[in-house]
Amino acid sequence: GQQLNQSPQSMFIQEGEDVSMNCTSSSIFNTWLWYKQDPGEGPVLLIALYKAGELTSNGRLTAQFGITRKDSFLNISASIPSDVGIYFCAGQLWNTGNQFYFGTGTSLTVIP
Amino acid sequence: NAGVTQTPKFQVLKTGQSMTLQCAQDMNHNSMYWYRQDPGMGLRLIYYSASEGTTDKGEVPNGYNVSRLNKREFSLRLESAAPSQTSVYFCASRITRTNPEAFFGQGTRLTVV
Protein backbone atom coordinates (compact mmCIF):
# COMPACT_ATOMS: atom_id res chain seq x y z
CA GLY A 1 0.00 0.00 0.00
CA GLN A 2 0.92 3.65 -0.23
CA GLN A 3 2.81 5.30 2.62
CA LEU A 4 1.61 8.70 3.73
CA ASN A 5 3.77 10.15 6.46
CA GLN A 6 2.15 12.73 8.69
CA SER A 7 3.98 14.97 11.08
CA PRO A 8 3.98 15.72 13.83
CA GLN A 9 2.40 12.63 15.40
CA SER A 10 1.01 14.69 18.26
CA MET A 11 0.81 18.30 19.33
CA PHE A 12 0.00 19.99 22.63
CA ILE A 13 -0.74 23.67 22.22
CA GLN A 14 -2.25 26.56 24.12
CA GLU A 15 -5.64 27.87 23.10
CA GLY A 16 -5.20 30.71 20.63
CA GLU A 17 -2.02 29.37 19.06
CA ASP A 18 -1.71 28.51 15.39
CA VAL A 19 -1.11 24.90 14.30
CA SER A 20 0.71 23.49 11.30
CA MET A 21 0.89 19.89 10.18
CA ASN A 22 1.93 18.18 6.97
CA CYS A 23 1.68 15.01 5.01
CA THR A 24 4.26 13.62 2.58
CA SER A 25 4.28 10.71 0.18
CA SER A 26 6.65 8.99 -2.21
CA SER A 27 3.82 8.88 -4.77
CA ILE A 28 2.17 11.62 -6.79
CA PHE A 29 -1.45 12.10 -5.81
CA ASN A 30 -4.25 13.69 -7.82
CA THR A 31 -6.35 14.69 -4.86
CA TRP A 32 -5.46 15.52 -1.28
CA LEU A 33 -7.97 15.51 1.56
CA TRP A 34 -7.90 16.47 5.19
CA TYR A 35 -10.19 14.79 7.74
CA LYS A 36 -10.80 15.30 11.45
CA GLN A 37 -11.79 12.50 13.81
CA ASP A 38 -13.37 13.25 17.17
CA PRO A 39 -13.09 10.60 19.90
CA GLY A 40 -15.48 7.71 19.30
CA GLU A 41 -16.56 9.03 15.91
CA GLY A 42 -15.72 8.44 12.28
CA PRO A 43 -13.59 10.93 10.32
CA VAL A 44 -15.27 14.00 8.85
CA LEU A 45 -13.99 15.73 5.72
CA LEU A 46 -12.58 19.22 6.32
CA ILE A 47 -10.99 20.24 3.02
CA ALA A 48 -10.47 18.70 -0.43
CA LEU A 49 -7.69 19.85 -2.80
CA TYR A 50 -7.69 19.04 -6.50
CA LYS A 51 -4.65 20.60 -8.13
CA ALA A 52 -1.02 21.35 -7.41
CA GLY A 53 -0.49 24.66 -5.66
CA GLU A 54 -4.14 25.01 -4.66
CA LEU A 55 -4.76 26.82 -1.39
CA THR A 56 -8.20 26.32 0.17
CA SER A 57 -9.72 27.62 3.39
CA ASN A 58 -12.57 26.42 5.56
CA GLY A 59 -13.06 28.91 8.37
CA ARG A 60 -9.89 28.91 10.49
CA LEU A 61 -8.47 26.00 8.52
CA THR A 62 -6.28 26.42 5.45
CA ALA A 63 -4.81 23.57 3.42
CA GLN A 64 -2.44 23.52 0.47
CA PHE A 65 -1.77 20.98 -2.27
CA GLY A 66 2.01 20.85 -2.63
CA ILE A 67 3.62 21.83 -5.92
CA THR A 68 5.34 18.46 -6.24
CA ARG A 69 1.95 16.73 -5.72
CA LYS A 70 3.67 14.58 -3.11
CA ASP A 71 2.72 16.62 -0.09
CA SER A 72 0.03 18.69 1.55
CA PHE A 73 -0.18 21.04 4.51
CA LEU A 74 -2.90 21.99 6.98
CA ASN A 75 -2.88 25.09 9.15
CA ILE A 76 -5.32 25.93 11.93
CA SER A 77 -5.32 29.50 13.13
CA ALA A 78 -6.27 30.70 16.62
CA SER A 79 -6.97 27.22 17.98
CA ILE A 80 -9.92 26.59 20.29
CA PRO A 81 -10.69 23.62 22.57
CA SER A 82 -13.07 22.01 20.07
CA ASP A 83 -10.17 21.65 17.61
CA VAL A 84 -9.05 18.67 19.72
CA GLY A 85 -9.00 15.43 17.77
CA ILE A 86 -6.98 13.45 15.26
CA TYR A 87 -6.33 14.99 11.87
CA PHE A 88 -5.77 12.69 8.91
CA CYS A 89 -4.54 13.46 5.45
CA ALA A 90 -5.62 11.23 2.58
CA GLY A 91 -4.47 11.04 -1.00
CA GLN A 92 -6.19 9.65 -4.07
CA LEU A 93 -4.48 7.90 -6.96
CA TRP A 94 -6.38 7.63 -10.23
CA ASN A 95 -4.67 4.42 -11.25
CA THR A 96 -5.72 2.43 -8.18
CA GLY A 97 -9.47 2.41 -8.66
CA ASN A 98 -9.72 5.84 -7.06
CA GLN A 99 -8.74 4.47 -3.69
CA PHE A 100 -7.87 6.90 -0.94
CA TYR A 101 -4.83 6.22 1.23
CA PHE A 102 -4.77 7.69 4.71
CA GLY A 103 -1.89 9.09 6.70
CA THR A 104 -1.11 7.96 10.23
CA GLY A 105 -2.75 10.98 11.84
CA THR A 106 -1.78 13.98 13.97
CA SER A 107 -3.30 14.05 17.44
CA LEU A 108 -4.04 17.61 18.55
CA THR A 109 -4.59 18.63 22.17
CA VAL A 110 -5.57 22.21 22.93
CA ILE A 111 -4.93 23.42 26.46
CA PRO A 112 -7.42 26.09 27.58
CA ASN B 1 -30.20 12.30 9.48
CA ALA B 2 -28.89 8.74 9.80
CA GLY B 3 -26.10 8.90 7.17
CA VAL B 4 -23.97 5.77 7.59
CA THR B 5 -25.08 3.34 10.28
CA GLN B 6 -22.88 0.53 11.55
CA THR B 7 -23.82 -2.32 13.83
CA PRO B 8 -22.74 -3.47 16.32
CA LYS B 9 -20.73 -0.70 18.01
CA PHE B 10 -18.76 -3.10 20.19
CA GLN B 11 -18.03 -6.81 19.89
CA VAL B 12 -15.81 -9.32 21.61
CA LEU B 13 -15.07 -12.58 19.80
CA LYS B 14 -13.11 -15.66 20.64
CA THR B 15 -10.42 -16.76 18.21
CA GLY B 16 -12.00 -18.82 15.46
CA GLN B 17 -15.50 -17.40 15.82
CA SER B 18 -17.20 -15.75 12.88
CA MET B 19 -19.26 -12.61 12.66
CA THR B 20 -20.66 -10.09 10.21
CA LEU B 21 -20.38 -6.33 10.59
CA GLN B 22 -23.33 -4.53 9.08
CA CYS B 23 -23.31 -1.17 7.33
CA ALA B 24 -26.17 0.76 5.76
CA GLN B 25 -26.32 4.21 4.20
CA ASP B 26 -29.42 6.24 3.36
CA MET B 27 -27.80 8.82 1.05
CA ASN B 28 -28.25 6.88 -2.20
CA HIS B 29 -24.48 6.63 -2.57
CA ASN B 30 -23.01 4.30 -5.15
CA SER B 31 -19.67 3.51 -3.51
CA MET B 32 -19.10 1.92 -0.13
CA TYR B 33 -15.93 1.05 1.78
CA TRP B 34 -14.66 -0.87 4.76
CA TYR B 35 -11.59 0.39 6.65
CA ARG B 36 -9.80 -0.74 9.74
CA GLN B 37 -8.06 1.67 12.09
CA ASP B 38 -5.16 0.58 14.24
CA PRO B 39 -3.01 2.76 16.52
CA GLY B 40 -0.30 4.54 14.55
CA MET B 41 -1.51 3.06 11.24
CA GLY B 42 -4.21 5.45 10.08
CA LEU B 43 -7.12 3.91 8.19
CA ARG B 44 -6.42 1.04 5.84
CA LEU B 45 -8.84 -0.06 3.16
CA ILE B 46 -10.05 -3.65 3.47
CA TYR B 47 -12.60 -3.92 0.65
CA TYR B 48 -14.69 -1.55 -1.37
CA SER B 49 -17.69 -1.62 -3.66
CA ALA B 50 -17.53 1.01 -6.39
CA SER B 51 -21.14 0.35 -7.31
CA GLU B 52 -23.92 -2.09 -6.57
CA GLY B 53 -22.95 -5.55 -7.74
CA THR B 54 -19.18 -5.04 -7.61
CA THR B 55 -16.61 -5.56 -4.89
CA ASP B 56 -12.83 -5.22 -4.93
CA LYS B 57 -9.96 -5.84 -2.56
CA GLY B 58 -8.22 -2.98 -0.85
CA GLU B 59 -4.86 -2.90 0.94
CA VAL B 60 -5.57 -5.50 3.65
CA PRO B 61 -8.28 -7.96 2.47
CA ASN B 62 -6.91 -11.20 3.92
CA GLY B 63 -9.23 -12.81 6.46
CA TYR B 64 -12.27 -10.84 5.33
CA ASN B 65 -15.15 -11.19 2.89
CA VAL B 66 -17.75 -8.66 1.86
CA SER B 67 -21.21 -8.59 0.37
CA ARG B 68 -22.89 -5.64 -1.32
CA LEU B 69 -26.39 -6.78 -0.51
CA ASN B 70 -28.08 -3.88 -2.32
CA LYS B 71 -27.31 -0.23 -2.93
CA ARG B 72 -27.79 0.64 0.75
CA GLU B 73 -26.00 -2.19 2.50
CA PHE B 74 -22.41 -3.42 2.54
CA SER B 75 -21.43 -6.09 5.06
CA LEU B 76 -18.02 -7.29 6.22
CA ARG B 77 -17.57 -10.88 7.37
CA LEU B 78 -14.84 -12.44 9.44
CA GLU B 79 -15.05 -16.18 8.87
CA SER B 80 -12.53 -17.21 11.53
CA ALA B 81 -11.51 -14.32 13.73
CA ALA B 82 -7.88 -13.91 14.79
CA PRO B 83 -6.36 -11.63 17.46
CA SER B 84 -4.68 -9.66 14.64
CA GLN B 85 -8.15 -8.57 13.57
CA THR B 86 -8.67 -6.67 16.81
CA SER B 87 -9.29 -3.16 15.53
CA VAL B 88 -11.83 -0.42 15.00
CA TYR B 89 -13.74 -0.94 11.76
CA PHE B 90 -15.26 1.92 9.81
CA CYS B 91 -17.71 1.79 6.97
CA ALA B 92 -17.84 4.74 4.58
CA SER B 93 -19.78 5.76 1.51
CA ARG B 94 -19.33 8.18 -1.39
CA ILE B 95 -21.72 9.39 -4.05
CA THR B 96 -19.37 7.88 -6.64
CA ARG B 97 -15.86 6.50 -6.38
CA THR B 98 -14.41 9.68 -7.90
CA ASN B 99 -16.10 12.04 -5.45
CA PRO B 100 -13.72 12.72 -2.56
CA GLU B 101 -16.26 13.36 0.18
CA ALA B 102 -16.61 10.17 2.16
CA PHE B 103 -19.15 9.87 4.96
CA PHE B 104 -18.10 7.54 7.76
CA GLY B 105 -20.08 5.54 10.27
CA GLN B 106 -19.28 5.70 13.98
CA GLY B 107 -17.19 2.56 13.90
CA THR B 108 -17.26 -0.93 15.38
CA ARG B 109 -14.72 -1.71 18.06
CA LEU B 110 -13.85 -5.39 17.72
CA THR B 111 -11.73 -7.34 20.17
CA VAL B 112 -10.64 -10.90 19.40
CA VAL B 113 -9.38 -12.84 22.40
Side-chain angles (χ1 to χ4, degrees):
Chain A
Q2 299 295 324
Q3 287 280 345
L4 293 184
N5 300 309
Q6 262 185 268
S7 65
Q9 279 191 316
S10 60
M11 304 180 75
F12 293 82
I13 62 168
Q14 292 288 141
E15 183 176 357
E17 288 184 353
D18 296 344
V19 173
S20 290
M21 59 188 78
N22 67 73
C23 191
T24 60
S25 170
S26 57
S27 300
I28 293 175
F29 286 100
N30 292 286
T31 303
W32 281 99
L33 310 170
W34 285 92
Y35 284 85
K36 182 191 177 203
Q37 184 178 26
D38 290 326
E41 302 288 331
V44 173
L45 182 66
L46 298 173
I47 293 178
L49 303 159
Y50 298 100
K51 56 182 187 178
E54 179 181 352
L55 190 70
T56 297
S57 293
N58 178 4
R60 293 178 295 104
L61 279 62
T62 301
Q64 183 163 26
F65 193 139
I67 294 291
T68 65
R69 303 175 75 173
K70 293 183 178 182
D71 54 9
S72 180
F73 310 90
L74 176 70
N75 295 314
I76 304 172
S77 62
S79 58
I80 58 178
S82 62
D83 290 333
V84 165
I86 302 177
Y87 291 79
F88 290 99
C89 63
Q92 183 183 38
L93 292 169
W94 295 123
N95 63 350
T96 57
N98 293 302
Q99 290 185 40
F100 284 88
Y101 296 91
F102 283 80
T104 50
T106 293
S107 175
L108 177 65
T109 301
V110 179
I111 303 164
Chain B
N1 294 343
V4 179
T5 303
Q6 287 182 238
T7 55
K9 290 199 169 141
F10 300 93
Q11 183 72 49
V12 178
L13 289 179
K14 293 183 179 177
T15 298
Q17 285 185 318
S18 62
M19 80 160 293
T20 300
L21 280 64
Q22 307 286 352
C23 175
Q25 52 91 7
D26 62 1
M27 297 173 283
N28 202 34
H29 286 176
N30 289 299
S31 301
M32 297 185 73
Y33 304 78
W34 276 104
Y35 292 88
R36 60 177 289 173
Q37 184 176 30
D38 302 293
M41 300 287 288
L43 289 99
R44 292 181 292 167
L45 183 64
I46 305 171
Y47 269 94
Y48 67 101
S49 170
S51 60
E52 187 179 356
T54 69
T55 60
D56 286 286
K57 295 178 181 179
E59 294 177 81
V60 289
N62 291 344
Y64 306 95
N65 284 302
V66 291
S67 295
R68 183 75 182 266
L69 304 168
N70 48 55
K71 192 170 186 180
R72 289 186 65 246
E73 298 172 286
F74 188 39
S75 62
L76 178 72
R77 182 158 178 85
L78 287 70
E79 289 292 350
S80 179
S84 61
Q85 294 178 304
T86 293
S87 187
V88 181
Y89 291 85
F90 286 99
C91 176
S93 70
R94 289 188 172 91
I95 295 174
T96 66
R97 66 180 186 150
T98 56
N99 186 296
E101 183 159 15
F103 293 83
F104 284 82
Q106 288 194 304
T108 296
R109 185 173 294 274
L110 176 67
T111 302
V112 183
V113 297

